[in-house]
Amino acid sequence: MPEGTEDRWLHGRFSDLVFGAGLVYLPVFLLLAVGLFPKVPARFLPLVVLAFSTPHIGATLLRAYERDEDRRAYRFFTVYATIAIATAFGVGLYVPLVGSIMITLYFTVVPWHFTGQNFGIALIFLRRSGIEVSPALRRFVYLACSLPFALWILTIHGEQQGLIGYAPLSTIGTAYEFISLQIPGFVQAPLMGIAFGAYLYVLGECAVRLASRGVIRAAFPALVLLLIQGLWFAAPVLGRFIYDDAQMGPLSGSRAAYTFVWISMTHGIQYLWVTTYYAKRQQPETATSLYLAKALFAGSAIYGLPLLVMTPALLGSLSYTGGLYLMVAGALNLHHVLLDSAIWKLRNSRIASVLFGGEAKLSGVAIMPRRSQWRYLVYASGALAVAISIFVPLESMFRLAPAQRARDTAAYGASLERLTWMGRDSAKRRTILGVLLAEEGNAEEALEQFERSVLLRPNVEAWVNIGALRERKGQLAPALAAYQRAAILDPDDATELFYTGRALIRLGDLERGRNLVGRAKRLAPQVVPLSAAESPGS
């Protein structure tokens, strides 16, 4: 294919560079770096996921399941691997160790999936530009993509740095934990230095080899993609080892999880960019908008249904924020990575003929019989999930938050119930409602909300409030039991220590009680009024 012909582009020069090569991330990164990027409230970040990440998972489902031929060809992944992951997901909801292993795999494997996609797209750019990719050049391109991932692994599994926000989601406040390999610091630092040095060498070698052939201009999209890959993974990791966290802007540990949302957005756009092209080559009559809508609904269905069905109100045991969303995201992304690794092999002659050359349209593919109604059920479920995903942040912003500010317990409770029906019940919000009710003097309803909170997710604040309400009724033994449940969760919480100490004093255990009250004052004097250490019976 001659250099400079229109055939080198999948969708066109602009869209290929911006979406395929990942340049869409560059202005986002620069605006984040100078503090001018609009701060998206956390409640609206799921809409970013809905717009980009969810359809990219749906695109894989369409590729693997929509056609009879593909379902049969990838039966091991579409059936058996799916059953295995679904089983692990179900067990993980009730066995935290299993769930933690799945989430650890998710945090570890997802960046590799990003890396593999960038490697494949880089090869597409090179081959479509008429550049012969020798085995040596292919290895250097592969290393240029892989070494930033190696830096990521050394960081999240290192003894010194640990996860520190680099994961796409957090395990804090859930039933799960990230199981780090705890690579010793004396091994981690030298390996990171070696990996970073090798990365710079490999980038230079790629540029030199392409320049020596006189094709550096034709290879520009691929080189841009390699630099973007480094900006995703190598830059934040190395920056944290060189600069103070406060100087790092979008690369800082405190903002890394937020920044990762936009990295995931870029990855999702890339994926849709290439899968949309492939789908159009299969069925030229299919409108791009229809394909993207199908991908959105398919991805939303597989995300949305578990978040509704597996809530504590129905079949599950974990709330949305207590670990259910994390488990759903982990299971679906692991499934996505497995499917993707099977269905997008560039060694496949059919796939290569379309993505490398684009000369031939695919033909003779058996379309799923139209009499099958399952796909319509999936799309309907996906449409419902999309509606819920849009409704939830709007409800939170325009109903729940104003009710909390106005301390309107009726409006806050009604809004929370609507969110609960959408699968978004929350221990934190139940505790907030309990506090508002207690301030109104409605102790019984407040106690009910605090108890619902700890059922969703055991937490210190709710247990302390349960104890305080019990103590106010003169039920000192149940109150002390509630405080002790809080102590199990956080033995150094000043509020819990104070109330536990006061309950012990009232029960006659003066020495232990005064010690705990004194410790609470030392930890956080502002939490406990100076006159708060009442004598027994006061």
Side-chain angles (χ1 to χ4, degrees):
M1 184 185 305
E3 181 182 336
T5 65
E6 288 303 312
D7 285 338
R8 67 177 294 197
W9 306 110
L10 269 69
H11 294 278
R13 183 190 304 269
F14 177 82
S15 60
D16 283 16
L17 288 173
V18 173
F19 303 135
L23 277 177
V24 66
Y25 178 69
L26 192 57
V28 174
F29 174 80
L30 293 175
L31 290 173
L32 285 170
V34 298
L36 294 179
F37 193 83
K39 180 64 175 177
V40 179
R43 68 175 68 95
F44 285 108
L45 289 179
L47 293 180
V48 177
V49 174
L50 176 68
F52 302 107
S53 295
T54 301
H56 109 277
I57 286 182
T60 297
L61 298 176
L62 293 177
R63 172 78 172 83
Y65 288 97
E66 190 176 30
R67 302 175 185 278
D68 290 328
E69 179 183 280
D70 291 328
R71 288 199 303 274
R72 290 193 299 268
Y74 306 113
R75 185 176 181 82
F76 175 82
F77 297 94
T78 57
V79 177
Y80 303 117
T82 300
I83 291 173
I85 291 176
T87 302
F89 166 75
V91 173
L93 291 177
Y94 297 93
V95 182
L97 177 60
V98 174
S100 295
I101 291 172
M102 287 190 68
I103 289 162
T104 300
L105 289 172
Y106 165 42
F107 288 167
T108 303
V109 168
V110 162
W112 177 250
H113 169 60
F114 289 19
T115 295
Q117 176 172 294
N118 284 342
F119 172 63
I121 292 175
L123 292 183
I124 290 171
F125 279 135
L126 292 172
R127 292 284 297 273
R128 292 183 71 90
S129 297
I131 299 172
E132 180 184 354
V133 182
S134 65
L137 178 59
R138 191 179 190 278
R139 283 194 296 271
F140 279 113
V141 173
Y142 180 80
L143 288 172
C145 292
S146 301
L147 287 167
F149 170 75
L151 289 168
W152 165 283
I153 293 299
L154 289 169
T155 299
I156 67 172
H157 285 286
E159 181 181 56
Q160 293 184 357
Q161 293 293 314
L163 198 57
I164 311 186
Y166 285 117
L169 294 171
S170 173
T171 60
I172 296 173
T174 72
Y176 307 106
E177 62 179 343
F178 176 77
I179 305 173
S180 173
L181 295 177
Q182 292 292 299
I183 300 171
F186 68 88
V187 175
Q188 180 190 23
L191 286 179
M192 294 191 73
I194 293 170
F196 184 61
Y199 173 61
L200 293 179
Y201 167 75
V202 165
L203 280 180
E205 189 67 27
C206 287
V208 168
R209 286 174 178 265
L210 292 167
S212 67
R213 299 188 194 178
V215 293
I216 196 76
R217 181 178 177 182
F220 177 73
L223 292 174
V224 167
L225 184 59
L226 297 183
L227 291 174
I228 292 293
Q229 164 86 3
L231 196 61
W232 287 359
F233 299 127
V237 171
L238 268 298
R240 289 294 308 280
F241 274 82
I242 299 172
Y243 298 102
D244 181 79
D245 188 67
Q247 301 174 303
M248 292 298 295
L251 305 181
S252 66
S254 59
R255 299 183 64 188
Y258 178 76
T259 302
F260 198 91
V261 171
W262 304 107
I263 295 173
S264 298
M265 175 201 73
T266 308
H267 166 77
I269 290 173
Q270 284 180 316
Y271 197 90
L272 293 171
W273 165 82
V274 71
T275 55
T276 300
Y277 175 81
Y278 188 84
K280 290 288 290 182
R281 299 298 296 183
Q282 285 185 308
Q283 291 181 285
E285 70 279 4
T286 301
T288 300
S289 58
L290 176 60
Y291 173 78
L292 292 176
K294 288 165 60 179
L296 173 62
F297 292 149
S300 296
I302 198 170
Y303 257 113
L305 286 182
L307 294 176
L308 284 175
V309 175
M310 300 308 296
T311 60
L314 294 176
L315 302 179
S317 62
L318 296 174
S319 67
Y320 180 86
T321 56
L324 177 58
Y325 179 74
L326 190 62
M327 279 295 295
V328 170
L332 294 186
N333 276 279
L334 288 175
H335 182 249
H336 168 69
V337 170
L338 277 176
L339 281 181
D340 186 79
S341 66
I343 64 179
W344 291 116
K345 291 184 182 297
L346 293 178
R347 293 187 298 271
N348 182 292
S349 59
R350 179 195 301 168
I351 295 171
S353 69
V354 174
L355 296 183
F356 284 159
E359 295 87 355
K361 298 176 183 178
L362 299 184
S363 59
V365 179
I367 307 297
M368 184 170 61
R370 292 193 176 276
R371 62 178 177 273
S372 172
Q373 301 301 309
W374 283 106
R375 58 179 174 176
Y376 299 116
L377 178 60
V378 170
Y379 295 147
S381 301
L384 174 62
V386 168
I388 290 172
S389 297
I390 295 172
F391 170 85
V392 167
L394 296 178
E395 176 72 24
S396 300
M397 182 174 184
F398 295 110
R399 299 285 186 85
L400 192 75
Q404 182 180 346
R405 289 193 295 269
R407 313 194 85 73
D408 185 340
T409 54
Y412 189 93
S415 180
L416 183 53
E417 288 304 315
R418 286 192 291 271
L419 290 170
T420 298
W421 277 102
M422 300 294 115
R424 300 301 194 270
D425 205 353
S426 161
K428 181 179 180 180
R429 289 168 175 167
R430 290 290 170 190
T431 298
I432 290 171
L433 179 56
V435 169
L436 295 176
L437 289 166
E439 290 175 350
E440 287 184 351
N442 195 337
E444 289 301 322
E445 288 190 26
L447 184 60
E448 178 185 346
Q449 294 302 322
F450 292 134
E451 289 174 343
R452 289 182 70 174
S453 175
V454 296
L455 284 175
L456 289 169
R457 180 178 61 81
N459 61 95
V460 170
E461 187 177 0
W463 276 121
V464 169
N465 276 286
I466 289 171
L469 289 175
R470 296 292 186 195
E471 189 174 355
R472 189 181 301 174
K473 293 181 176 183
Q475 302 170 353
L476 291 180
L480 180 60
Y483 298 144
Q484 289 171 337
R485 296 290 293 271
I488 293 172
L489 298 173
D490 186 356
D492 295 321
D493 182 83
T495 304
E496 168 266 312
L497 288 168
F498 167 70
Y499 280 102
T500 303
R502 189 177 70 174
L504 288 170
I505 291 172
R506 289 178 168 174
L507 286 167
D509 193 341
L510 302 183
E511 182 178 358
R512 272 210 308 157
R514 287 169 178 164
N515 285 338
L516 290 178
V517 169
R519 185 179 169 205
K521 288 183 177 181
R522 289 192 297 274
L523 285 171
Q526 74 279 7
V527 172
V528 185
L530 294 177
S531 60
E534 298 103 333
S535 59
S538 62

